[in-house]
């Protein structure tokens, strides 16, 4: 129960961070902008490339990625988020818009990921 409460609190914090930092590109519904900013909603990349997704949020992303069979090649700046904020926003986006994540992204997991 304690772990579930902590997960839910992380998701709630992540929703606020998403609203501040991510919503302009990835939109309120997580669907992104076609060909420019990839969707987070029902995203195969987000859900199957956990480490790469964390790294993108933590350090930014440059170069081509394929999301739901569509190529994206724009850049995402580093947002300057702390490990806990990265953990929180990952927990929010991996449990929203049709994504299902039963394994919380912990701060310790984020902290281990290097550029």
């Amino acid at each position: 129960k304690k772990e579930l409460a902590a997960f839910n609190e992380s998701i709630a914090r992540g929703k606020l961070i998403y609203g501040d930092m991510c919503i302009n590109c990835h939109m309120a519904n997580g669907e992104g902008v076609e060909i420019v900013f990839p969707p987070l909603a029902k995203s195969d990349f987000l859900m199957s490339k956990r480490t790469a997704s964390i790294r993108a949020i933590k350090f930014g992303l440059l170069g081509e990625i394929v999301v739901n069979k569509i190529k994206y090649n724009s850049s995402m700046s580093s947002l300057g988020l702390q490990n806990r904020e990265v953990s929180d926003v990952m927990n929010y986006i991996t449990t929203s818009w049709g994504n299902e994540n039963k394994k919380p992204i912990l701060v310790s997991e984020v902290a281990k990921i290097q550029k």
Side-chain angles (χ1 to χ4, degrees):
K1 281 188 171 178
K2 201 179 214 180
E3 288 87 10
L4 182 60
F7 188 32
N8 287 332
E9 289 167 17
S10 175
I11 291 167
R13 288 190 306 267
K15 183 175 185 175
L16 296 174
I17 295 164
Y18 185 87
D20 284 344
M21 309 294 283
C22 317
I23 203 166
N24 289 341
C25 296
H26 294 287
M27 304 294 131
N29 58 8
E31 291 182 4
V33 177
E34 200 171 351
I35 306 171
V36 185
F37 302 117
L40 302 173
K42 299 182 185 92
S43 167
D44 60 353
F45 184 94
L46 176 65
M47 298 311 291
S48 68
K49 297 182 188 270
R50 182 172 169 120
T51 300
S53 296
I54 294 168
R55 187 176 289 116
I57 295 170
K58 190 170 175 179
F59 299 111
L61 181 66
L62 187 61
E64 186 177 283
I65 61 170
V66 177
V67 180
N68 300 343
K69 300 186 176 114
I70 297 171
K71 287 182 185 177
Y72 292 86
N73 197 357
S74 49
S75 66
M76 178 171 138
S77 300
S78 170
L79 303 171
L81 298 176
Q82 301 299 316
N83 289 333
R84 181 177 135 176
E85 294 170 312
V86 173
S87 163
D88 290 345
V89 82
M90 275 292 293
N91 284 324
Y92 173 65
I93 65 178
T94 59
T95 57
S96 298
W97 315 300
N99 296 324
E100 286 187 36
N101 176 19
K102 293 179 181 24
K103 186 179 173 223
I105 291 96
L106 302 175
V107 176
S108 57
E109 179 181 354
V110 174
K112 290 178 192 164
I113 294 173
Q114 303 300 313
K115 250 183 176 169

